[in-house]
Amino acid sequence: MTKKIVALGGDGIGPEVVDAAIQVLESMNLDLEILKPLCGEAAIKKFGTPFPKEAMDLTNQSDAILFGATEQASVIILAYLRWVLDTYANLRPIKYYEGVSTPIKDPEGIDFLIVRENSEGMYPGREGDISLLAEKLPDYKDLMGKSFADFGKGKFAIRIITEKGCKRIAKAACEKARERKKRGFSGKVTCVTKSNVLRESCGLFQKTCEEVIKGYPELRYEHFYVDDMARRIVRFPKDIDVIVTSNMFGDILSDLAGELMGGLGMAPSACIGDRYAYFEPVHGSAPDIAGKGVANPTATILSSVMMLEYLGMREKAEELENAVKAVYEEGKVLTPDMGGKSKTRNVTKAIIQKLK
Ligand code: NAI
Ligand code: MG
């Protein structure tokens, strides 16, 4: 049956890289109906809102969503995709392709997966004046016996970690590690927290991961604190199989890890929920290069590979990934972030040619 894809470019380079991915997908003659409702900056100009009803309705009926990036004015789109559609498992593969420029000396064989909790933690920002906490929680005291009233003027941010949130992300990570083990990976889940400081919230995350993994006797488990893990990603990237972590730690670690595979122009992601899934590059709207036609479309094209896998088109996904691989192996058509002079459209064309 034809799968319905809704493409939401968003802002900045978002529409540029999403258009590139659509061109590639359309060249493959797949059983996909790709819809492109207006959203983001363009929709604000025309309708006065970044996410018009038509775009939202189509999104609600989609089998999968291909997303670019948004800036503050259109952030409602991102909020809808993540928190209304509850796409709680953000999968961010870090995989080195030969020919890609990376700051790592010996990148051959880097291939791991970051599973980032996408629905809670520090997101969406739940913040306010400290005086509100002082008023609502007059008896609360921290380790040093300090109460909120003792701070004076300032702001707070709340980090929510729920049992349900921990369980479902731990399970998603274990399922991915099991799947990868069948493909020859080591079968290890690395839980990353800051439970030495955040003993309650990170403590719950860590404890839940430890419990969930017991249901997967074929997998190994380890735990590291997030600061130590940042170092390990740089120093021992090939020892990693699947990382599972909370929202903000995953956000930060995945930009860092993305550099191992050539940077934000390369790093793809998938956000999967029980009913909806959307696919987006790790990067944002890149206002510094927007409109210049030089954005690297690879991260979004590799996100489309993840989308095809999700839709059960495994062979086609592999075909597309191999086309990307071939372009980098050849190393002739590269955008400036990869040390080349080519435009977005040249890289797109090169990938399409490899598909033929
Ligand atoms: P960014 O990821 O947009 O850009 C960081 C750097 O990487 C910039 O120098 C940019 O030129 C470069 N870069 C990013 N994607 C690239 C590509 N495909 N090809 C070549 N170079 C690329 O992050 P930044 O600058 O922190 O944020 C810019 C805006 O994007 C902000 O408004 C931010 O809130 C938003 N953002 C949105 C995200 C989303 O919608 N999921 C994710 C991250 C940021
Ligand atoms: Mg980010």
Side-chain angles (χ1 to χ4, degrees), residues 88-89 115 164-179 189 205 208-209 211-213 216 219 242 244 274:
Y88 60 86
V115 179
K164 178 185 164 195
C166 293
K167 256 189 211 150
R168 65 185 188 176
I169 201 64
K171 191 158 172 268
C174 289
E175 290 294 328
K176 281 288 153 193
R178 174 183 270 174
E179 221 177 278
V189 174
F205 193 94
T208 311
C209 286
E211 275 163 15
V212 169
I213 203 162
Y216 298 78
L219 300 180
V242 174
V244 62
D274 294 331

Side-chain angles (χ1 to χ4, degrees), residues 17 73 77 157 181 195 212 292 339 352:
V17 291
I77 306 175
K181 191 166 187 194
S195 58
V212 169
K292 296 184 177 156
I352 292 173

Side-chain angles (χ1 to χ4, degrees), residues 152-163:
K153 273 192 183 170
K155 304 284 180 186
F156 70 84
I158 285 185
R159 183 168 183 266
I160 301 277
I161 301 286
T162 68
E163 286 183 13

Side-chain angles (χ1 to χ4, degrees), residues 13 17 67-72 78 82 264-265 280 282-289 294-297 337:
I13 63 166
V17 291
F67 175 65
T70 55
E71 281 160 23
Q72 203 48 44
L78 189 72
R82 285 191 186 169
L264 291 174
E280 63 167 344
V282 168
H283 65 72
S285 64
D288 52 338
I289 57 165
V294 294
N296 188 345
D337 60 312

